[in-house]
């Protein structure tokens, strides 16, 4: 896939992430890359102090470095910053991080040689993936530790995965037919200053959250029919009178999903209930609002993915090399917190629907806990409890991270974004949400089957059939954990959302 720095879309990035596509930069970006490198080379040979080119780093920026020591300076920078701890991040995320770093370097403001870009492209193409520890970044001055582990492999140090095996960085490069690089002036700093670790995790969280939001529209429609809920709150004019895009789209989608349901038609007349609980009636308002928040975060992350975020930057219009603060990941931190809030709320309302459907007082005559023989059997009693635990965990994880700054680096870096772990937590939150929705899919399908011979819509019947291909209806109690995982996998794969055959709301504008 050829990517043009500055114009890459969320759709392209999602392809890179999900399909592990090899990437190269549009050759049209090379002249600006070469021009910026020339200016850095001139600065390195000059007498004037230029941060990170011929000076130390952080609190040591006042220490001048001799021209003959600039290569050693960059190597020492990378090795000293390889301080990540914890488990290695997934390969898909490490590759996405590398692609984002390519895009930043390709803006022609970092001053690296084209050979640095070529090596990153080669590593992506040949499948050399640096081993990146998950913890150690505070999301300012760049994601220094994780990006240093990437840069170390480019120098032939560190560890990398190649062909399914983890090995020293130089061995991985050699097996792939690639050569390590000796970093020139500012190149180490260009590789590790930046927000690419945080942005990669935030993007992955965004993609998962959006897919889950789409699936939630399907499971909520199925639950609505299972408890014989009303579709009156889905009337289009209700939502257009308010005007929020996400709410309007959620209402339209749920109406389409329920269109043709015989269950719905069976209780239009004579139903003594006036209104359904909020978890049924307000699904468009809640998930629609979450979709709007996710789109706001998506706008920020698309901009960030195309940004030059290291320091100092070579300004093309003036030729100046200027120290700034684009490495500060505050925008990414805010976006990650927004995604976390949306994920928590989608799960919170879904959990209440599950609680509703297993409760015979509220489910409109469905058997307790959706078992045909309650008492002897517990049915989905504890599956609902599990979703309550997952919902609570997500509520805790949704607390903002961006407000938790602490000074680092001898108070030189005295305000940081905490975007890295703010974004990293999204993976667990999305997984929790997928399991909540998986349980809702199980419960709602079982509930609709109790309404036989009345069927739901053909669209929702198809979704039920897909579930029943991997999880049979629940009669007597049985070992249930694998069935929850199977249903959750249908949510996580996007199959439940894609398989409807109707147009689902899209993340883009």
């Amino acid at each position: 896939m050829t990517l043009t720095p500055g114009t890459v879309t969320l759709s392209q990035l999602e392809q890179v992430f999900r399909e592990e596509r090899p990437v190269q930069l549009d050759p049209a970006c090379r002249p600006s890359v070469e021009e910026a490198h020339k200016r850095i080379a001139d600065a390195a040979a000059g007498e004037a102090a230029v941060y990170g080119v011929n000076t130390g780093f952080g609190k040591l920026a006042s220490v001048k470095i001799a021209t003959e020591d600039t290569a050693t300076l960059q190597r020492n920078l990378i090795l000293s910053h390889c301080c990540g701890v914890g488990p290695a991040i997934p390969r898909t995320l490490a590759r996405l991080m590398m692609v984002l770093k390519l895009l930043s370097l390709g803006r022609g403001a970092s001053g690296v040689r084209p050979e640095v870009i070529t090596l990153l492209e080669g590593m992506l193409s040949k499948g050399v993936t640096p081993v990146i520890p998950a913890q150690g970044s505070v999301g300012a001055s760049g994601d220094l530790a994780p990006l240093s582990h990437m840069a170390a492999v480019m120098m032939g140090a560190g560890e990398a995965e190649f062909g399914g095996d983890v090995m020293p960085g130089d061995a991985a490069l050699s097996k792939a037919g690639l050569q390590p690089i000796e970093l020139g002036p500012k190149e180490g700093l260009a590789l590790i200053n930046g927000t690419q670790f945080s942005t990669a995790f935030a993007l992955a969280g965004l993609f998962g959250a959006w897919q889950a939001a789409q699936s939630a529209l399907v499971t909520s429609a199925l639950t609505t029919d299972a408890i014989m809920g009303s579709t009156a709150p889905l009337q289009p004019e209700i939502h257009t009178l308010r005007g929020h895009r996400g709410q309007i789209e959620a209402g339209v989608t749920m109406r389409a999903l329920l269109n043709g349901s015989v269950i719905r038609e069976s209780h239009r007349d004579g139903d003594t209930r006036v209104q359904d609980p909020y978890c049924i009636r307000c699904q468009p308002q809640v998930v629609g609002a979450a979709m709007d928040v996710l789109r706001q975060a998506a706008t920020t992350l698309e901009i960030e993915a195309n940004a030059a975020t290291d320091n100092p930057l070579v300004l093309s219009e003036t030729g100046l090399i200027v120290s700034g603060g684009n490495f500060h990941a505050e925008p990414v931190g805010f976006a990650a917190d927004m995604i976390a809030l949306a994920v928590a709320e989608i799960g919170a309302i879904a959990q209440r629907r599950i609680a509703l459907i297993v409760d015979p007082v509220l489910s409109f005559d469905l058997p307790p806990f959706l078992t045909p023989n309650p008492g002897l059997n517990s049915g989905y009693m504890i599956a609902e409890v599990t979703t309550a635990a997952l919902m609570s965990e997500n509520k805790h994880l949704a607390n903002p991270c961006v407000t938790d700054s602490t000074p680092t680096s001898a108070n030189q870096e005295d305000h940081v974004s905490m975007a890295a772990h703010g974004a990293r937590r999204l993976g667990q939150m999305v997984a929790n949400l997928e399991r909540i929705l998986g349980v809702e899919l199980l419960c709602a399908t079982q509930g609709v089957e109790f309404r036989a011979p009345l069927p739901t819509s053909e669209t929702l019947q198809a979704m039920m059939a897909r579930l029943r291909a991997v999880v049979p209806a629940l009669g007597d109690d049985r070992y249930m954990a694998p069935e929850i995982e199977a249903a959750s996998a249908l949510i996580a794969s996007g199959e439940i959302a894609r398989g409807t055959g109707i147009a689902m709301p899209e993340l883009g504008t």
Side-chain angles (χ1 to χ4, degrees), residues 27-44 53 105-115 117 185-187 312-321:
C29 75
R30 291 300 174 99
S32 60
V33 170
E34 291 170 349
E35 177 62 25
H37 166 62
K38 181 179 181 301
R39 295 189 183 280
I40 291 293
D42 291 344
V53 177
L105 299 178
R107 292 298 301 272
S110 299
V112 303
R113 290 167 293 164
E115 290 86 343
I117 289 173
K186 203 223 166 220
E187 288 179 340
L313 292 172
V314 181
L315 307 183
S316 58
E317 291 186 5
T318 63
L320 297 175
I321 302 172

Side-chain angles (χ1 to χ4, degrees), residues 14 18-19 207-208 210-219 253 257 434 459 462-463 466 489-506:
E14 188 167 11
R18 295 196 185 282
E19 301 171 19
F207 299 146
W210 188 262
Q211 190 166 267
Q214 292 177 321
S215 298
L217 297 177
V218 180
T219 59
T253 302
L257 289 164
E434 289 164 348
T459 299
M463 294 304 96
R466 182 64 192 91
L490 290 176
I491 300 292
S493 70
E495 188 172 346
I496 290 300
R498 289 194 305 271
T500 61
I502 67 170
M504 300 296 289
E506 295 183 357

Side-chain angles (χ1 to χ4, degrees), residues 33 101-110 112 116-117 120 190-191 310:
V33 170
K101 177 52 72 176
L102 267 178
L103 293 171
S104 181
L105 299 178
R107 292 298 301 272
S110 299
V112 303
V116 174
I117 289 173
L120 270 173
L191 287 169
D310 63 289

